[in-house]
Amino acid sequence: MKLTKSFKASRKLRAGIAMLLTAAFLTAGCGGGDGQKAVGDNKTFTYGTVAYGISNENVGTNPHDTYVGWSTLRYGIGETLFRFTESMELEPWLAKDYEQIDDYTIKINLKDNICFSNGKKVTGEEVKKCFDDLLAKHDRAPKDLKIESITADGQSITIKSKEKVPALLNYLSDPYGCIIDVDAGEKDKIVVGTGPYVATSVSDTEIDLVKNENYWGDTKPQMDKVIVKSITDGDTLTMAMQNGELDAVQGLPYASLELFMNNDKYKVSQVDTSRIYQIAFNFKNEDLKDLRVRQAISMAIDKDNFTNVLLHGQGTPAVGPFPASMPFGDKAVHAVPFDKEGAKALLKEAGYEDTDGDGYVDKNGKNLELRYLTYTSRQELPLLAEAAQADLKDVGIKLDVNATNNYKNFLKTGEYDLFSNANVNAPTGDPEYYFTTHVLKNSAYNRGFYESDKMEALEEQLRNTFGAENRTPIAIQMEQLILDDCAYFYASHLRMSFVMKPNVKGFSAHPSDYYEITPELAKE
């Protein structure tokens, strides 16, 4: 497989990660203290993860910057007005309750006992400032929320939308909806949130956190210090966990995960998520404009082999963008089957045959050769690239793989024909999130430049329909349209696994892929 230098880099085990000194902190009420003052005792939680890094666009703590909100929410720095239960149902968090005044207007009442980590009270006016800043700076939020105006009155805000937004509360529960103190600003990639922990140091590879002494929740943070380390090399991550240098890890290589399963020395928390490994077809490529070519590629890649062999069964072969556990998921749609002979027939029908005997099909004297772009920070993606390259070679398609964490530069210059990434497609439990971000003409992450008037019309219908039972049939139509057009190839849904020492409690995988460091996190 032809890979970039970044993926060819040596996988020799690196030196163990040094344990860091810890500190306890002075107690302060909602009205005082800076939430960061240290005293005393040794109580640190060290966490190694593959999910933090530049390639994931989540370095920092400011939720108003690209996907940084995932770090804000995951690592206990910020919180949203509403959150999701383990069954993906909405429940109030910073909000006390809400009232749907009409199809365009909603009033949200805030809890009265919440303060930022700097001691400043969270009021309706502070939330309004936060959302105003979000709408001014974020790429996805304005398109999702479609807010016309926000007014504040004491401990409440009233949001008026430009059009109907049935999934508004779901969108406000996205990580970009974390409430931060805008007046405090951002210093060294650090913002002031309401969560149980406060960031003290942020780099491209590590976030250091301390207990928020001003935390408003009934359960106070149990750890004095939390260290989140970005460790993208699987062998290093595995060895660090085995050597006891980490208290918990997320993102172990699947071959390594088996070392920790059914082992009394460790605890494992697993959950099926809506994260999927997908491939977008670039419709600007002349070869890929032919539906038969896209179908042939989709029929040639063996999802079962990828999931069961390369992922060691830690996932489920996908049909569409959503797992079967959701009412609008895989059970409701169908895709082209795995059929390499059928793929060859489609290519021949489209005019591609191996006329020179080099093993690759050609047309008008040119081989069908495609540039495949992906990144290495998620271990599954290079494995999918390897599988796709081998499978497509079997049907005569040459795939040049570029697996690099500098992939954004290639996206900007358009130097790719297929782009593979990992994405959480229904983190808010509502399907519209995926459609608005990936398949509409103006979607921020429509990497294939897919356009469909029918899709735009269905989205218009979806955004004006309230009630899950009414939205589901529309979502299914939209998924099926993606599959019929072969705009994306969906490989596998992910099963998330957290491995931890047996003395760790209050640390578990969540189906939304949002909540990791919580007040309940503790070491016995």
Side-chain angles (χ1 to χ4, degrees):
M1 177 169 60
K2 181 181 177 183
L3 300 176
T4 61
K5 184 177 179 181
S6 63
F7 189 61
K8 290 180 180 177
S10 171
R11 291 177 60 83
K12 292 181 180 179
L13 298 180
R14 302 185 182 108
I17 302 169
M19 294 296 288
L20 302 180
L21 295 177
T22 61
F25 304 91
L26 293 176
T27 302
C30 185
D34 61 7
Q36 303 180 35
K37 201 169 182 180
V39 294
D41 154 355
N42 206 5
K43 209 173 178 184
T44 298
F45 179 81
T46 307
Y47 175 41
T49 178
V50 301
Y52 177 77
I54 293 174
S55 65
N56 293 305
E57 301 181 84
N58 63 353
V59 168
T61 64
N62 188 345
H64 300 175
D65 179 16
T66 60
Y67 280 94
V68 172
W70 288 73
S71 297
T72 317
L73 191 53
R74 275 176 173 160
Y75 308 134
I77 300 163
E79 298 161 321
T80 51
L81 296 181
F82 297 84
R83 64 182 171 188
F84 298 94
T85 67
E86 291 186 356
S87 58
M88 292 303 293
E89 296 177 331
L90 274 174
E91 66 177 6
W93 199 0
L94 300 183
K96 180 173 65 176
D97 53 36
Y98 73 96
E99 177 186 359
Q100 188 78 47
I101 296 175
D102 56 42
D103 286 350
Y104 301 90
T105 313
I106 191 168
K107 181 178 181 180
I108 301 173
N109 300 308
L110 306 173
K111 291 174 181 173
D112 196 47
N113 64 326
I114 302 167
C115 57
F116 294 108
S117 59
N118 59 10
K120 182 179 180 180
K121 184 173 181 178
V122 176
T123 63
E125 185 59 36
E126 297 303 321
V127 172
K128 172 179 161 50
K129 289 180 186 177
C130 177
F131 285 158
D132 285 343
D133 190 69
L134 170 69
L135 295 171
K137 296 178 178 178
H138 203 261
D139 56 350
R140 289 179 293 118
K143 297 175 184 177
D144 292 343
L145 302 171
K146 300 177 178 64
I147 292 176
E148 179 178 302
S149 65
I150 305 175
T151 56
D153 182 14
Q155 288 301 109
S156 70
I157 60 167
T158 299
I159 298 175
K160 184 175 181 180
S161 302
K162 299 174 184 176
E163 55 188 76
K164 296 177 184 177
V165 187
L168 180 64
L169 297 185
N170 299 73
Y171 284 126
L172 291 177
S173 304
D174 184 284
Y176 62 54
C178 284
I179 304 303
I180 60 173
D181 181 0
V182 173
D183 292 337
E186 178 182 357
K187 301 174 183 176
D188 299 322
K189 298 183 180 178
I190 296 172
V191 297
V192 176
T194 64
Y197 290 92
V198 179
T200 59
S201 175
V202 176
S203 72
D204 291 351
T205 58
E206 181 171 318
I207 298 180
D208 293 347
L209 307 156
V210 299
K211 178 192 300 185
N212 174 11
E213 297 291 351
N214 295 324
Y215 189 59
W216 61 275
D218 293 335
T219 300
K220 303 304 177 184
Q222 306 295 298
M223 305 306 301
D224 290 334
K225 189 169 185 177
V226 173
I227 302 168
V228 178
K229 289 183 172 289
S230 174
I231 306 176
T232 56
D233 180 82
D235 292 335
T236 303
L237 189 65
T238 301
M239 185 64 76
M241 190 66 206
Q242 288 181 315
N243 288 346
E245 297 160 357
L246 301 171
D247 293 301
V249 296
Q250 183 271 325
L252 285 169
Y254 294 111
S256 297
L257 183 60
E258 296 175 355
L259 301 172
F260 301 92
M261 303 289 289
N262 302 313
N263 187 330
D264 291 341
K265 295 180 180 180
Y266 305 97
K267 292 197 299 188
V268 180
S269 173
Q270 293 185 305
V271 68
D272 289 332
T273 74
S274 69
R275 182 177 290 279
I276 199 169
Y277 304 106
Q278 61 186 20
I279 301 172
F281 294 97
N282 190 338
F283 280 67
K284 290 187 176 182
N285 176 288
E286 290 300 321
D287 294 311
L288 294 177
K289 286 181 180 179
D290 191 324
L291 173 61
R292 293 167 295 186
V293 175
R294 301 195 303 274
Q295 288 175 326
I297 292 172
S298 300
M299 292 168 69
I301 302 174
D302 189 345
K303 301 177 185 181
D304 287 341
N305 181 69
F306 169 66
T307 303
N308 297 328
V309 178
L310 296 181
L311 300 190
H312 293 255
Q314 296 299 317
T316 304
V319 179
F322 306 112
S325 58
M326 295 183 168
F328 42 81
D330 280 352
K331 291 180 180 179
V333 294
H334 60 272
V336 292
F338 170 62
D339 180 359
K340 286 188 177 179
E341 292 306 313
K344 292 177 183 178
L346 277 174
L347 289 173
K348 185 176 182 179
E349 182 182 315
Y352 297 88
E353 293 187 78
D354 182 8
T355 61
D356 56 10
D358 67 349
Y360 296 104
V361 297
D362 55 82
K363 184 177 182 180
N364 300 324
K366 179 184 175 184
N367 279 351
L368 182 50
E369 184 172 351
L370 301 170
R371 300 165 298 175
Y372 184 107
L373 178 65
T374 191
Y375 47 91
T376 64
S377 59
R378 290 212 66 98
Q379 59 173 316
E380 302 86 358
L381 292 174
L383 296 177
L384 178 56
E386 178 184 353
Q389 188 178 55
D391 284 335
L392 292 179
K393 183 178 181 181
D394 288 344
V395 299
I397 299 175
K398 186 176 183 180
L399 209 59
D400 297 323
V401 174
N402 181 7
T404 172
N405 284 339
N406 294 321
Y407 71 98
K408 286 186 287 185
N409 292 331
F410 292 92
L411 287 174
K412 289 178 182 178
T413 58
E415 297 177 66
Y416 66 97
D417 302 309
L418 298 98
F419 173 62
S420 176
N421 73 316
N423 191 69
V424 179
N425 285 354
T428 63
D430 186 272
E432 191 174 9
Y433 173 94
Y434 180 66
F435 302 133
T436 58
T437 55
H438 282 78
V439 298
L440 301 182
K441 179 180 178 180
N442 295 319
S443 292
Y445 299 99
N446 183 355
R447 304 303 191 187
F449 307 99
Y450 171 65
E451 293 184 27
S452 166
D453 291 341
K454 185 176 180 181
M455 180 65 72
E456 301 291 328
L458 285 168
E459 168 55 24
E460 181 67 22
Q461 185 180 350
L462 184 64
R463 73 166 58 108
N464 286 286
T465 301
F466 288 82
E469 69 283 0
N470 299 317
R471 292 169 64 78
T472 292
I474 305 170
I476 292 171
Q477 290 184 64
M478 297 172 78
E479 294 169 67
Q480 193 57 58
L481 179 59
I482 296 170
L483 294 169
D484 291 344
D485 287 346
C486 278
Y488 281 85
F489 171 82
Y490 300 104
S492 174
H493 302 288
L494 171 71
R495 180 176 304 143
M496 178 177 287
S497 301
F498 289 175
V499 175
M500 66 202 81
K501 292 179 178 178
N503 67 329
V504 174
K505 63 179 184 178
F507 187 66
S508 59
H510 191 281
S512 73
D513 202 5
Y514 282 170
Y515 318 112
E516 295 186 2
I517 306 300
T518 67
E520 290 77 17
L521 172 65
K523 290 164 66 175
E524 295 175 329

